[in-house]
Amino acid sequence: MSGHSTYQPQSAFMKWMERRLPIASLVHSSFVAYPTPRNLNYWWTFGGILSFMLAVQIVTGIVLAMHYTPHVDFAFKSVEHIMRNVNYGWLLRYLHANGGSMFFLAAYIHMFRGLYYGSYKEPREVLWILGVILLLLMIVTGFMGYVLPWGQMSFWAATVITNLFSAIPGVGEAVVGWLWGGYAVGNPTLNRFYSLHYLLPFVIVGVVVLHVWALHVVGQNNPTGIEPKSDKDTVAFTPYATAKDSFLIAVFCILLAWFVFYMPNYLAHPDNYIPANPAVTPTHIVPEWYYLPFYAILRAVPDKLLGVIALAASIAILAFVPWLDTSKVRSARYRPLYRQFFWVFALVCVGLGWLGAKPAEGGYVIAARILTTYYFAHFLIILPLLGRYEKTKPLPNSISESVLKGKGAAAAIAILAVALGILTGISTRASAAEAEHPPRQKWSFSGPFGYYDRAQLQRGFKIYREVCQSCHSLELLSFRNLAEPGGPGFSVAQAAAVAAEYMIKDIDDQGNATERAGRPADSFPKPFANDQAARAANNGAVPPDFSVIAKARTYERGFPWFVFDMFTQFQEQGPDYIVAVMKGYGEKPASMTMPEGMQYNSYFPGNAIAMPQPLQDGQVTYDDGAPATIDQYSKDIAAFLMWAAEPHMEARKRIGFQVMIFLIVLSGLLYFTKKKVWTDVHGHA
Amino acid sequence: MATMSSAEPTRRDFLYIATGVVAATGALAATWPLISQMNPDASTIAAGAPIEVDLSPIAEGQVIKVFWRSKPIFIGHRNKKEIDAARAVDWHTLPDPQPDQKRVKEGHDQWLVLIGICTHLGCIPIAHQGEYDGFFCPCHGSQYDTSGRIRRGPAPLNLELPPYEFVTDNKIKIG
């Protein structure tokens, strides 16, 4: 792609090939001999990280598509099928879901690096614009992917985002109709989103090729922002850049593995473990953390059309940065004022992200308006004026003259880490604001070496059968699961015996509806024939299915706990909440009016629960000597439900530990390899 | 690299080799989940459990189809003529030599239980057709006799027998 073709084919075959399809010399000139500035710092490795993440997303995505069913009746179940039944399905899905988050994280770092060092300036405008197009494609792809599991957040994200287009005057309604393929978001929507979610990554690959091509035409920018003047200013891509990129990719994998293996649902929304329900909108709908700043801009504007325009403009304006920034000097290193404004802008983006996760009311709206105004002012006022009035520092004569210094990098990493923490934590921990915080329990399955207590799971199962089962289904579980590794540890014969105690609806040879004894492959039968029957029998409220309820329930952790959670791997909000609700019944405060038939519960959101207190002391007899108290019962049922929601957790944490050890060893080796490779360069500098 | 051209492996070479080996091992290990996920999943395997079939409604001369592990199982209630035809032939001369006695359960000579998939390329043969009045595969013309043995055509082997046993005289368990 660049003009340097120093490749000399050695073998007769390669000579033969070179005259017909010079692919070897293309690769050689682009990824081996290609000269890269010698002073690139680690912020320049994110291009490589992004390519790697794109490959990870495509590979895991293709595999997930082999097991996923894009139909409103099966999408949620097929995702759970992947999580439960497909070999390593949980790993592939968690890689894909968290990989999306990490992909955006890397893209944002890559962009801020470009903004800091002026990588968009002449002659790199097209390179930059291609990057903005890639961001847009990523946003669209990520959104459509988020719809596919067809949980509550999927459905309502699809509804809200497609409704944005209805703001377009004249054609808005028609466009929304094309997106939906129906009167509302439904099966046709899911099908077309699936089709496009499969297509767009390959479009991204195409634009990435253009992006890399454009890069190799104009060459990389560097921390000084001045062009390489001689061969002394550059080193060959291989081995220098490859060694450096490989090291950082391995380090980035550690971050990815941390989430995938130890807190795979931290970056996601618990509400998305509730199947899509077109009749009920979740009380707090928030996009994924990486869309929050844009979401805040949308909500900051009190007018529908103008809000949508502001949202679109907040992304589109990036494409004009090469012309809005009028400074001749590229790198913020030599722009003392711009450097300060850059960090203010970065904090404004984080602030917008924080506001995007907050309810759109009161002071939050005012703050969002101020920050939105600043966001646009940064591009439209500050950048043009700075170029005119800023007194820049003198530039070095050449890259080799400038001295490589890593100062500021550590501070920047710290700021970004905190920013990510605030964004993610706030976005995910937003519900049940009015209820008390459930007390924290001790769980055998918490932490990196957590495991399920078999006896506890068996006791919990006993409670499910004797108490919960009459109203709550456990649809996604089969009897055979009881005997699978990492579960309650029943033998195959015991699981079959449990199955045989249930009656399963079937059809006999004459076509008549009949009932037969359950088999290990059967799933737990539902207590009610349908939702209407369930509602009628339960004071108007459908008792929720229990299969993933331990992941679908949470409470707000609040600042700064959600930041600490990322490091302590605390993710047992679900079981803590279940225990709290079991024990949270009591007398209602005098001031509260209780709807008829409802009970007061201090931990249930809204404090009015339709279910009467289910567990009482002495209600269930344990065979293993565990105390027959409500305390013990609640902990046991919560542990059982945690296993039901996450049956492969033990395998996940075990494999996670192996992967972590491997990645740390690999990163260490790659670091020393990189150091060896670079000794010559630094030695002669 | 020019600096790496010494004949003796140096400490630097060792580092490069070790890094390469570790990275390659990791890449190889990472492909395992991608391959393993293509195996039948746990629910599919569990659904392949044995099935029981009541034979009493099957009339003499009738062949019924049931499904076990997504495969059609032919259960034929043979009449005397069919049994005699299967046993009259000198089985040593057949393409896939096997006596009829080996293809049914002793004492249940009238019950023929076969996997109804042509051993040529997997089509489903039609019962009571073909020159031997056994099974005829419409795809490429393989002819099976009343014991499900290949007699003529491109199929190389007799129709396969599923694992099954008689629970009672009138009930079999397949699988």
Side-chain angles (χ1 to χ4, degrees), chain B residues 1-44:
Chain B
M1 277 178 65
T3 46
M4 282 176 63
S5 57
S6 67
E8 292 287 305
T10 61
R11 274 175 61 189
R12 169 182 288 204
D13 291 340
F14 176 74
L15 176 65
Y16 292 159
I17 291 165
T19 308
V21 167
V22 171
T25 311
L28 209 65
T31 57
W32 175 243
L34 301 177
I35 294 165
S36 176
Q37 57 86 19
M38 290 195 276
N39 283 314
D41 63 60
S43 62
T44 307

Side-chain angles (χ1 to χ4, degrees), chain A residues 63 67 81 85 87 480 662 673, chain B residues 16 19 22 26 36-37 41-42 46:
Chain A
V63 167
H67 304 283
H81 164 72
N85 297 327
N87 294 349
R480 65 184 161 83
F662 169 81
T673 297
Chain B
Y16 292 159
T19 308
V22 171
S36 176
Q37 57 86 19
D41 63 60

Side-chain angles (χ1 to χ4, degrees), chain B residues 42-58:
Chain B
S43 62
T44 307
I45 292 169
I51 57 164
E52 286 192 353
V53 182
D54 180 12
L55 303 180
S56 49
I58 307 171

Side-chain angles (χ1 to χ4, degrees), chain A residues 100-123:
Chain A
S101 266
M102 294 300 119
F103 198 177
F104 271 97
L105 173 68
Y108 287 144
I109 294 175
H110 193 61
M111 287 171 60
F112 274 105
R113 189 269 290 153
L115 288 172
Y116 187 84
Y117 293 108
S119 300
Y120 44 83
K121 290 189 187 179
E122 195 279 329

